Amino acid sequence: MATYLNVYLSYLPHYIMKLIEFNKRHRTAFCAALIACAGLITSCHNTIGADKDTSNDLTLPAIKIDTTTALITKDYMGSIEGKINVELRPQVEGILQEIYVDEGDYVKAGQSLFKIDASAYNEMYNNALANENVERAKLKNAKLEIDRLKPLIDNEVIAPVQLEKAKSDYEVAKANLAKASAAVGSAQINVDFTVIKAPVSGYIGRIPKRVGNLVSKSDKEPLTYLSDVSEVFVYFAMSESDFLHFSKAQNSENDSLALPTSLGKLLPEASLILADGIEYQEKGKIDAISGQINKSTGAISLRASFPNSEDLMRSGNTGTIKIQETRKNVILIPQEITTNIQDKTFVHLLSEENKVILREIKINGVADKNFIVSDGLDRNDVVIKTGFNKLSEGMRVIPQL
């Protein structure tokens, strides 16, 4: 129809001039005909324009906004330590005589690990034992003296004061024997210290000393480390803001009278990603929180415990702690339906007349591949998903929900 109209309009001036020259007497009729033609042309243009507007309305996929529950995963770098980490240090000084284990060996509690030359300590023990025997003999003599004096006192042969002195000597001898026995015990302890045994079951660490080295309890580094890794602790740092978020969520959970909150809840269960990027199959729990925030970093230390039934982890390993947080009644939108302009985030919103509005939104977190929207969108809003290069402000779009 548009083609025929254009052809008609191109020849219309020529026909009009011919009509003027042909009959100037019918001017009134000509004007009426001209007005009728103009009305017809206008009507045709309006019809074509209306058809054109309808044909230009795009049909694009869109989503209707609603509230839902978001599951957020937070990552924290952590260091892994065994449940028990023991420094093995000598309690006596001497030459390292024997090393019964090798680095990395698994040992049981009470197993012998190192032996220090005990010659000097054995002699000290023997000397203390001899002194104990001497004091025991003295005690026996003191007892005999009392037994000898008693009949004499009964028969009034000697004064009673002599018996009292004998009893006093007996008590001194008894105390000296106790002192000598304690010296024997101390010497025996030193002898026992020459054999260093495992206080707990675990894995032997690096052994810097070798047989023949002089060792003492004042050494800067221990003989080795012993780690019980049947269970491991993962220590990690959380920012102050995350910790406050965590604390408020926990308080809301523990308070039965607390009102519903959008602060969220950090689940006590934690996941661990090992250094090879693979998630550890067993879950752990956050079981300890430091009492202070580090002033220099603004972070607080937390501890998560994990079972280590397969002995995959050792003290000194690193990993990434993943903690899941749930937030209820939040608005989620896919990240790909947003547009970034000068550090601001926008979406293409449809008005009630299905006209495009470029709306700025505020982001308050990420859940998987979705943004959590805190401001800018409401329930039942309609947002266009694709075709942004075809859109302009105020353009009409037919949403495909």
Side-chain angles (χ1 to χ4, degrees):
M1 180 176 180
T3 304
Y4 290 122
L5 181 60
N6 291 333
V7 173
Y8 173 72
L9 291 175
S10 64
Y11 285 100
L12 183 58
H14 176 74
Y15 291 146
I16 292 174
M17 294 302 297
K18 290 292 185 180
L19 288 173
I20 293 174
E21 293 176 1
F22 177 75
N23 193 357
K24 293 183 179 180
R25 292 174 302 173
H26 300 287
R27 186 179 304 275
T28 302
F30 169 73
C31 290
L34 186 60
I35 291 172
C37 289
L40 177 62
I41 294 170
T42 302
S43 176
C44 291
H45 270 290
N46 289 338
T47 302
I48 294 171
D51 293 342
K52 183 176 180 180
D53 290 342
T54 302
S55 63
N56 283 340
D57 285 354
L58 291 177
T59 300
L60 293 175
I63 60 171
K64 180 174 284 190
I65 300 300
D66 198 359
T67 57
T68 184
T69 298
L71 186 62
I72 304 172
T73 301
K74 294 180 178 289
D75 295 348
Y76 303 96
M77 288 299 297
S79 60
I80 300 173
E81 294 184 11
K83 179 177 65 174
I84 300 177
N85 287 312
V86 181
E87 285 187 353
L88 295 180
R89 292 180 177 272
Q91 296 298 305
V92 293
E93 182 176 335
I95 300 299
L96 188 59
Q97 196 172 54
E98 297 286 346
I99 299 177
Y100 300 117
V101 293
D102 199 0
E103 297 172 350
D105 285 352
Y106 179 81
V107 297
K108 295 183 178 181
Q111 181 176 337
S112 297
L113 307 178
F114 304 94
K115 182 172 178 19
I116 298 173
D117 185 9
S119 301
Y121 299 101
N122 286 329
E123 291 304 319
M124 291 179 185
Y125 172 74
N126 293 332
N127 185 44
L129 190 60
N131 288 334
E132 183 187 31
N133 292 331
V134 170
E135 297 301 330
R136 184 175 287 108
K138 289 181 178 180
L139 179 64
K140 186 176 180 180
N141 288 336
K143 181 68 170 59
L144 291 173
E145 182 66 13
I146 292 174
D147 294 340
R148 186 183 69 84
L149 293 176
K150 276 184 178 181
L152 298 176
I153 297 297
D154 293 339
N155 295 321
E156 298 181 353
V157 175
I158 61 174
V161 67
Q162 295 187 26
L163 180 61
E164 294 300 323
K165 182 179 182 303
K167 288 181 179 179
S168 178
D169 292 340
Y170 175 81
E171 293 298 327
V172 171
K174 188 176 179 181
N176 287 335
L177 176 61
K179 183 178 178 181
S181 297
V184 171
S186 296
Q188 182 63 61
I189 290 173
N190 286 334
V191 172
D192 293 340
F193 278 156
T194 59
V195 178
I196 300 173
K197 298 181 179 181
V200 295
S201 298
Y203 289 91
I204 295 294
R206 182 174 160 300
I207 303 175
K209 299 290 186 179
R210 295 294 178 263
V211 172
N213 289 151
L214 177 64
V215 296
S216 69
K217 56 185 177 182
S218 61
D219 288 344
K220 292 183 178 180
E221 58 180 353
L223 287 175
T224 189
Y225 290 90
L226 181 60
S227 297
D228 179 3
V229 292
S230 58
E231 183 181 6
V232 295
F233 294 145
V234 182
Y235 293 90
F236 62 99
M238 179 182 288
S239 67
E240 184 177 359
S241 59
D242 283 353
F243 175 70
L244 289 174
H245 191 97
F246 170 80
S247 300
K248 290 178 181 179
Q250 290 297 100
N251 291 338
S252 297
E253 177 189 7
N254 296 332
D255 188 358
S256 59
L257 300 179
L259 296 176
T261 175
S262 61
L263 287 173
K265 170 188 172 186
L266 281 173
L267 302 180
E269 194 174 66
S271 301
L272 176 63
I273 306 299
L274 299 177
D276 58 1
I278 299 176
E279 182 176 347
Y280 185 58
Q281 61 182 1
E282 298 187 75
K283 301 295 183 181
K285 289 186 178 180
I286 300 174
D287 56 5
I289 301 174
S290 175
Q292 292 183 337
I293 293 177
N294 189 316
K295 294 181 180 179
S296 60
T297 62
I300 188 169
S301 296
L302 292 89
R303 186 186 74 189
S305 60
F306 288 82
N308 189 26
S309 56
E310 296 184 1
D311 289 336
L312 290 178
M313 293 177 283
R314 296 286 187 274
S315 292
N317 285 148
T318 58
T320 302
I321 288 288
K322 288 185 173 290
I323 304 174
Q324 289 184 334
E325 174 191 355
T326 56
R327 294 189 188 179
K328 296 182 179 180
N329 300 322
V330 296
I331 293 176
L332 290 180
I333 61 171
Q335 297 183 22
E336 62 268 16
I337 73 172
T338 62
T339 302
N340 293 325
I341 302 176
Q342 294 182 350
D343 297 331
K344 295 182 179 180
T345 305
F346 296 84
V347 294
H348 293 83
L349 182 70
L350 289 183
S351 66
E352 294 181 356
E353 295 80 18
N354 287 342
K355 291 186 177 181
V356 176
I357 301 172
L358 194 61
R359 174 74 59 82
E360 182 183 357
I361 60 174
K362 300 296 183 183
I363 305 300
N364 188 27
V366 178
D368 196 13
K369 297 182 180 180
N370 300 312
F371 283 137
I372 300 175
V373 180
S374 60
D375 187 37
L377 290 177
D378 296 315
R379 292 184 63 187
N380 298 322
D381 283 346
V382 178
V383 177
I384 298 174
K385 295 173 64 176
T386 60
F388 305 141
N389 58 333
K390 304 175 183 178
L391 300 177
S392 60
E393 187 93 13
M395 183 178 181
R396 292 183 75 253
V397 172
I398 300 173
Q400 185 179 5
L401 299 174

